Structure formats: C-alpha cells, structure tokens
Amino acid sequence: MDKHGLDAGRTWRQVYEISGGSWEQIGEAWVPDVFAYHISLACNHCDKPICAEICPSHAITKRFDGIVLIDVEKCLGCGYCSWACPYAALDYDKGSGHMTKCTFCVERIDKGRSPECVAACPMRVLDFGDQETLIVKYGSINSSYPLPEPDLTEPQFLVSPHSDSQRPNNEPADVTPSAPLDMKEQPLIGFTLLSQLAAGTFLALVILEALSIQTGQTTYTRWLSSKTLFGITLMMIASMLVSLFHLGTPQKAYRAFANLKTSWLSREIFFAAAFGGLLVLLSGMHWLNFGASVAQSVIAWAAALTGMLLVYCMSRVYMLRTVPVWKSPHIPLSFFITTLMLGELAAIVAITNWPESSTLSTAPEGIKYLIPIVSQWLVLSLFGLLVIDMLVTFVWWANFDPPDSGLHQSANTQERFRYISGLRMVLTFLGISIMGAFLYQYSVDPIPVIQLSTLAWLSFGLVLVAKIIGRNLFYKSYIRSGL
Ligand code: SF4
Ligand code: SF4
C-alpha cells in the first residue's frame, strides 16, 4: 500500500527508461555506442491543462496555486482525458470506474511540506518550489526526448536533460514502460455510427419530404413515414444507450453536459440528447396524429439541423491538439461523408419498403413511378460522395505523419492496416456500384420496386460493413504526441 492507497500495478509517477544505440565499426574493432537514461514523470500541473479543457463533467480543475486536481465525485470515467494528456499522467481506477492522478500531495503542500515523492527520492532527483527559484537552480528547459513539445500544455516542470537525450537526429530509442492505452472504443464505434446513420437518414427524408411538397406530391406520399420515423428514433435511443457502456460510472452520465464552454464532448452529448429529444417529440406527434403539419415541419427541420450539429461536434471531439494524426479536416469530412452515405442508402431502403400514402391503394402506379425516380437522384449523389470519400482517404493516408515521440502506439499503422483499409474501400465501391447497376437498368427498362428494394438492402449492408471497418481503423490510428 502506498501513500495514496493505490492497488498493486497502479502508479501516479512513472520512471521511464529510454535506451538505444548500436555498434560502430572503428578499424578492425566493433565498439558499442549505446545509451540509457531515465525520466521520472507524473502530472505536470500544466498551465494549459488539456485534460481540464476537454473534461465534459468539469471534474478536472486548476486550483488558485496552479495544482490540477480531479474531483472523483464528478468523474464519469469516460477516459477522454487519458487520450489527450501527452504525459500519460492519468490513471484509471477500474474498481471505482473513475480517473485518478497525482494530486501533488496537496494536503502536504497546504501544511507547508513537500510532496511525498520529493521527500522520499533517495537520490534527490526531484525538487519542487516556486518557478523563479527552480529556474535559478536548474535552468529553464522543460522538454527532453521523448517528451512532447511543451507549448502543447505548458507543463509546470523543469528538467536537467541527460546528455544522450540531445543526440543528433533523435535516434530511435526504446521506452519502457509504455503500456498501450485501453480506449474502450467498441461502444464508441456503435454510438458514432448509429447516431450518424440516424442523423443522415432523417436529413435525407426531411429533404425529400420538402421537395415533394414543392412538387405537390404529398397528396399521396409521405417520404418520412411514421414507421421510418419510429425506426430512426429507436436507432438514436439505441446509440445513446450503447455509449453508456464506454463510461466507468454510467449513472453519472447526466454530468456530461457540465462543460459546454470548453469541452466538445459536452457539446456532442448535448446535441445527441437534443436530437434524440426532438425525434421522440416528432414521433409522439405522428403517433397521436397531433399538431398542424407546419408545426411538424418546423420540428423536423430543427431536428435535422441538430443532427448535423451533433455530427460536427462529434468530429471535433477527436481533433485533439495532442493527437496530430487526428488534428485534421479529414475527421469532419469523413464523418459527414459517412453520415450522408449511410443516410441516403437507408433512405432508399426506407422508401422502397415503407412508403406511406393516404391513397396508396388507389394510386399504386404513382408510387411505383415515383420511388425509382427519387432513388435515381439519391444514387447519383452517392456516386459523388464515393469520389469525395476516396479523395479524402487518399489525402489523409498520404499525409499520415505520426509524431516522432509518439511512442504510445505503434507508429507503423499504415503498414499494419493496409489490406483491411483496402477492403473497406472495395466494399464501399461495390456497395455503391450495385446502386449504379440499378441506374443503368432503370435507364434501359424500369425495374419493379421490389427489386430496387433488394438492391438497396444489399448496397446498404455492404457500405455499413465498410464503415464499421473504417471506424475501427480510425480508432486504431490513434497516436498521440509524447508518452
Ligand atoms: S500533465 Fe496531463 S493530466 Fe497533468 S495537467 Fe498536464 S495535461 Fe493534465
Ligand atoms: S469525466 Fe472523463 S475526462 Fe473528466 S476526469 Fe473523468 S475520465 Fe477524465
């Protein structure tokens, strides 16, 4: 048992060993040119603590004297701060389901004493005090290989760097320990894909409904049928329930709105709840046949806009400045492409299976005529999305540049996932091409709606599998700066 009562294997301060070098031939002899040094590191109580900025529940705050603390009562155990901290300073307590970290032994500081680690270090490696005094004693350097660029979070610590940390070309070195981060990404894959599917399908159907009002077609067709609306609402509710599995303490999920001011995660959850709430309201109005159609339209457009804001905030959650491979416009672009692609395909599935018409029995030919025409336009835009998707993916991979000191995860992501990434593109291409076959067939000889429906299901299934693979790859591409 240590001072803070941490279980075996958990530490708030880690001692990293950095080692490397090789053998060098000098004349007839082979001479070792190897090195090893250590860095002792805990939370640096940064001046710009990214952990506090992004925490959705405001559980992490900076005290008047600069000490950064976690209020475990407010922590949801979402793990987001541990994705972002480039010093690997956060420690997840599986038993209680919340995050912990170095408190700078704040209770000792308040009594005018030093932190326990400073007092206990037998080699007097650690020190603490006010910055001016420490700069006079040790200089002003606050980085050393493999630590991240200090301007990312402005850590409040100084280091007397080992001479081998300044080697030319920053030779590759092994760093121990460097345990991989458990991102618990499976619930997030479910949440992001289901909510993007719901937002995209809803937007496509609301636009179709508005266009049909323009052309007077609503007299016999509601593209946003009650059945489709209930399906989208259930999908959105399911996505939010799935996301709870990501949390260490799901019962505190309501606290996720607490930091709308600086946390994109808070904003994402806010818009997810707002989108879900508007869908439930609209479903209720359809169910009870309540409210004028104008009121329903206003709510539908508000919900469609909220869905798009949800997708935007979702993409911003991942654009962390300490994760350079994600700090890219590729993220919002690919999230919106997925939303629109899955949404349009699901919309074709919906209108070929569940059209709702007050006079359907008397106007079946009208429906049969209209559905393929609407689908045709959706398929044409799907081809446009396919081209943009391929371009965005190509540009992202071409510029994939993991940080030098990103030791946390394997840096050869591209190599490891080359084939599975290719499979994702092939499946997307096949899925959209199936709908292309429909376009061709329709131009030659219109096909029955039932056949169009089968093609739509097949196409949707293939693209959905491709997107599940793509979202898995996205989380695997995580490499943050620093440790
Ligand atoms: S070291 Fe990490 S956990 Fe500590 S304040 Fe800085 S960003 Fe937050
Ligand atoms: S709520 Fe999430 S981001 Fe905030 S401290 Fe807890 S685990 Fe970290």
Side-chain angles (χ1 to χ4, degrees), residues 43-46 49-51 68 85-87 89-90 101 153:
C43 173
N44 301 307
H45 302 276
C46 305
I50 189 167
C51 55
V68 176
C85 171
Y87 296 94
L90 291 139
K101 75 168 190 65
T153 60

Side-chain angles (χ1 to χ4, degrees), residues 48-50 53 151-153 319-324 327 481:
K48 283 188 342 197
I50 189 167
E53 273 168 48
D151 57 1
L152 282 174
T153 60
M319 293 172 72
L320 296 163
R321 65 174 181 275
T322 50
V323 184
K327 184 103 187 73
S481 299

Side-chain angles (χ1 to χ4, degrees), residues 325 330 392-403 409-423 473-474 476-479:
V325 290
H330 154 266
V392 167
T393 307
F394 176 77
V395 171
W396 186 55
W397 279 105
N399 292 295
F400 192 88
D401 186 17
Q409 301 274 359
S410 167
N412 57 358
T413 307
Q414 269 175 309
E415 274 303 312
R416 283 197 296 152
F417 300 118
R418 174 177 298 182
Y419 294 112
I420 192 84
S421 178
L423 177 65
L473 286 177
F474 168 71
K476 296 271 181 276
S477 71
Y478 166 86
I479 307 170

Side-chain angles (χ1 to χ4, degrees), residues 39 41 44 46 84-88 142-155 157 159 321-324 403-407 480-483:
I39 292 181
L41 208 67
N44 301 307
C46 305
C85 171
Y87 296 94
N142 59 357
S143 186
S144 169
Y145 184 82
L147 302 182
E149 288 301 318
D151 57 1
L152 282 174
T153 60
E154 294 182 8
F157 85 128
V159 59
R321 65 174 181 275
T322 50
V323 184
D404 282 345
S405 59
L407 300 163
R480 78 173 168 233
S481 299
L483 289 155

Side-chain angles (χ1 to χ4, degrees), residues 345-360:
L345 282 167
I348 300 175
V349 169
I351 64 177
T352 52
N353 283 276
W354 308 287
E356 195 171 83
S357 168
S358 54
T359 55
L360 186 57

Side-chain angles (χ1 to χ4, degrees), residues 304-466:
L305 178 66
T306 310
M308 292 303 107
L309 287 170
L310 162 63
V311 176
Y312 178 70
C313 293
M314 195 179 276
S315 69
R316 293 301 304 263
V317 165
Y318 298 94
M319 293 172 72
L320 296 163
R321 65 174 181 275
T322 50
V323 184
V325 290
W326 283 355
K327 184 103 187 73
S328 146
H330 154 266
I331 306 294
L333 275 171
S334 66
F335 275 26
F336 274 109
I337 289 167
T338 299
T339 302
L340 298 178
M341 214 178 241
L342 287 178
E344 289 188 24
L345 282 167
I348 300 175
V349 169
I351 64 177
T352 52
N353 283 276
W354 308 287
E356 195 171 83
S357 168
S358 54
T359 55
L360 186 57
S361 55
T362 57
E365 291 309 314
I367 290 286
K368 283 180 188 169
Y369 170 73
L370 206 55
I371 286 173
I373 290 181
V374 169
S375 303
Q376 240 183 333
W377 284 104
L378 287 172
V379 175
L380 278 174
S381 79
L382 279 168
F383 272 102
L385 285 171
L386 178 66
V387 173
I388 300 170
D389 190 17
M390 288 187 159
L391 277 175
V392 167
T393 307
F394 176 77
V395 171
W396 186 55
W397 279 105
N399 292 295
F400 192 88
D401 186 17
D404 282 345
S405 59
L407 300 163
H408 180 74
Q409 301 274 359
S410 167
N412 57 358
T413 307
Q414 269 175 309
E415 274 303 312
R416 283 197 296 152
F417 300 118
R418 174 177 298 182
Y419 294 112
I420 192 84
S421 178
L423 177 65
R424 177 189 88 88
M425 288 316 290
V426 168
L427 289 176
T428 311
F429 184 78
L430 274 179
I432 306 284
S433 299
I434 285 173
M435 295 313 293
F438 146 72
L439 266 190
Y440 174 76
Q441 180 62 31
Y442 184 75
S443 64
V444 178
D445 176 22
I447 61 175
V449 169
I450 181 71
Q451 280 183 25
L452 173 56
S453 163
T454 310
L455 288 178
W457 271 115
L458 194 58
S459 181
F460 174 71
L462 283 171
V463 174
L464 182 62
V465 171

